[in-house]
Each structure stands twice: as structure tokens, then as C-alpha cells.
Amino acid sequence: MCGRITQYRYPIEYAEALGQIPIGGLSPEPIGRYNVPPQSMVQLLHQDEDGLRMEDVRWGYAPFWAQGKRPPAINARVETAATSKFFRDIWKTGRAIVPADGWYEWKKDEANPKIKQPYLIKLRTNAPMFFAALGQFQRGGMGEPRDGDGFVIITSSSGAGMLDIHDRRPLVLSPECALHWLDPELGPNEAEDIALEHGLGVEEFDWYPVDRAAGNVRNEGAHLTERISNPVL
């Protein structure tokens, strides 16, 4: 599960970490979001006819035949995304990357699930992250978003060490694999191999408890990402 992320650096910092400049659409201002929820507009990297572009796309997607029948999905399981009826079309044409700085998960008290402690997960190096994503979005940086535009973050199993927080986590790719994932010449089978075999291992991450204020999407600010010393769990 990935239901809340952080995305606060200057866009150019993600581009430099990716090793890919220029990228179209980069704002000169920091993104400055420390509590990004689903269904909001999120900066997304995708291939355009003129190269890579970063722009706002809504976090949440449903194919045309499912719209209005269920809430938009926010995640896609790496084990099934390439072949599921829900995602197989955008697997071929809509691979994208969410540049991010971390994500939140909530640890629940087994005796009382209403008691939850948020944790922030980041790379141990504190470098930018690149979440594998799938979406439907405008090409060419022109025009208003269409009905149905949006994206999902691909998730994988948390693996040993992170299971006590949540059994799913975003599929985080190295800069090299992220660029390969975005390559329009990459075939669907090769993309599936990247997704299944080349995500960063759990040893690459650090996680720590943060203030429970992160649980309210109306709260914002760098203080939400600071480690606390007195977690409830």
C-alpha cells in the first residue's frame, strides 16, 4: 500500500538525480509538499513526443469502462499489473515515474486497530526516490486533462524488515532503471522484468516514527517528516 507520499524538493533536483536534463515542464520553485494524498494533483515524469516531461497528474486511475462503478485505484500490484484487465492497456503506453522523497505507512496496534502510529520511509542516503507508476495523461504538454486522466503507483511486497509496518510498499527504481522504465522503446515484457526483478531492496531504506499529525491531509509542512522520540507504537 502507498497512500501518502512526500514530494518537496526543487524539480531540478529530481532531474539531476535521474541524470536526465533537460526535462520539459520543470518549475523553478520547490514543490514543497510534505503530505501528498491520493486524488490530488502530483508531479509525474513521463515520456512526451519531445522527450521527458514533468507535470501535474491526478493520483488515481480507472479505465473508461470502470469509471463511476468504483473509486479510482491508487496502487497497482507488481505481480499482476502487466496482465490485469484494469491496467494492461496503460502498461503498454503509460509507464511513468513519481519522483518523491518518501512515503508514510501506519503501524496499527494489534489489540486496538484504532491506535495507529505513522512512519516515514526514505532512502538511507536521503536521495530522491523514483516510484514506478502507470497512467493515462496528455501528451505534448497541451490542453486540459481529459476525463479519466490519472496514475497509479506500482507496489511490491515489503520483504523482511519492513513487514511490521505494512506488507506492501512502492516499487522504487534506481535512476538507471527508472530511465529504462520510461524508454518508449522498452517492450511490455522487458518492462515486466524491470518491475519484478529490479526494484530496490529493503536494505536501501530507513524508516522512523513521525508525528501523528501526518494522518490529517490538511496538515502540511516539513515538521511532519521529523523523527519523534515517543511513538505510541
Side-chain angles (χ1 to χ4, degrees), residues 66-114:
Q67 292 171 21
K69 298 178 182 178
R70 54 174 283 185
I74 63 170
N75 296 147
R77 295 174 69 93
V78 69
E79 298 89 345
T80 58
T83 56
S84 76
K85 182 180 179 182
F86 209 83
F87 300 115
R88 63 191 178 199
D89 288 340
I90 57 173
W91 182 272
K92 299 173 185 177
T93 62
R95 293 190 299 271
I97 289 290
V98 178
D101 302 292
W103 79 93
Y104 297 99
E105 294 290 1
W106 276 260
K107 185 176 182 179
K108 295 181 180 179
D109 187 328
E110 293 182 3
N112 184 357
K114 292 184 179 180

Side-chain angles (χ1 to χ4, degrees), residues 101 136 184 205 213:
D101 302 292
Q136 172 184 299
F205 301 96

Side-chain angles (χ1 to χ4, degrees), residues 2 45 96 118 137 195 199:
C2 178
L45 272 168
F137 30 76

Side-chain angles (χ1 to χ4, degrees), residues 82-83 91-92 95 181 186-196:
T83 56
W91 182 272
K92 299 173 185 177
R95 293 190 299 271
W181 174 260
L186 184 72
N189 291 338
E190 296 172 289
E192 188 172 9
D193 178 70
I194 289 176
L196 292 173

Side-chain angles (χ1 to χ4, degrees), residues 31-226:
I31 297 173
R33 299 182 69 192
Y34 296 85
N35 198 10
V36 183
Q39 309 309 326
S40 65
M41 303 298 284
V42 178
Q43 288 280 289
L44 186 74
L45 272 168
H46 63 86
Q47 275 287 352
D48 207 344
E49 55 192 22
D50 297 321
L52 284 180
R53 184 171 186 83
M54 187 187 293
E55 60 189 340
D56 276 341
V57 179
R58 187 171 303 280
W59 182 5
Y61 166 79
F64 72 93
W65 49 264
Q67 292 171 21
K69 298 178 182 178
R70 54 174 283 185
I74 63 170
N75 296 147
R77 295 174 69 93
V78 69
E79 298 89 345
T80 58
T83 56
S84 76
K85 182 180 179 182
F86 209 83
F87 300 115
R88 63 191 178 199
D89 288 340
I90 57 173
W91 182 272
K92 299 173 185 177
T93 62
R95 293 190 299 271
I97 289 290
V98 178
D101 302 292
W103 79 93
Y104 297 99
E105 294 290 1
W106 276 260
K107 185 176 182 179
K108 295 181 180 179
D109 187 328
E110 293 182 3
N112 184 357
K114 292 184 179 180
I115 299 176
K116 295 183 288 186
Q117 172 62 55
Y119 282 73
L120 181 67
I121 301 97
K122 305 171 69 175
L123 286 174
R124 291 186 182 276
T125 61
N126 202 37
M129 293 181 178
F130 300 106
F131 299 161
L134 299 170
Q136 172 184 299
F137 30 76
Q138 288 281 61
R139 310 285 177 169
M142 302 292 290
E144 294 297 318
R146 301 161 296 175
D147 288 344
D149 280 1
F151 74 90
V152 295
I153 293 173
I154 298 177
T155 65
S156 61
S157 172
S158 285
M162 207 181 286
L163 284 171
D164 60 336
I165 299 175
H166 203 282
D167 62 348
R168 306 293 298 178
R169 62 181 173 92
L171 174 62
V172 183
L173 299 176
S174 68
E176 296 76 16
C177 283
L179 284 175
H180 201 191
W181 174 260
L182 289 166
D183 186 346
E185 300 300 319
L186 184 72
N189 291 338
E190 296 172 289
E192 188 172 9
D193 178 70
I194 289 176
L196 292 173
E197 303 295 336
H198 295 282
L200 296 184
V202 69
E203 69 279 358
E204 301 283 347
F205 301 96
D206 183 28
W207 52 95
Y208 55 83
V210 295
D211 196 286
R212 294 170 73 185
N216 188 329
V217 297
R218 292 189 294 272
N219 293 330
E220 184 56 270
H223 67 283
L224 298 177
T225 66
E226 295 174 359

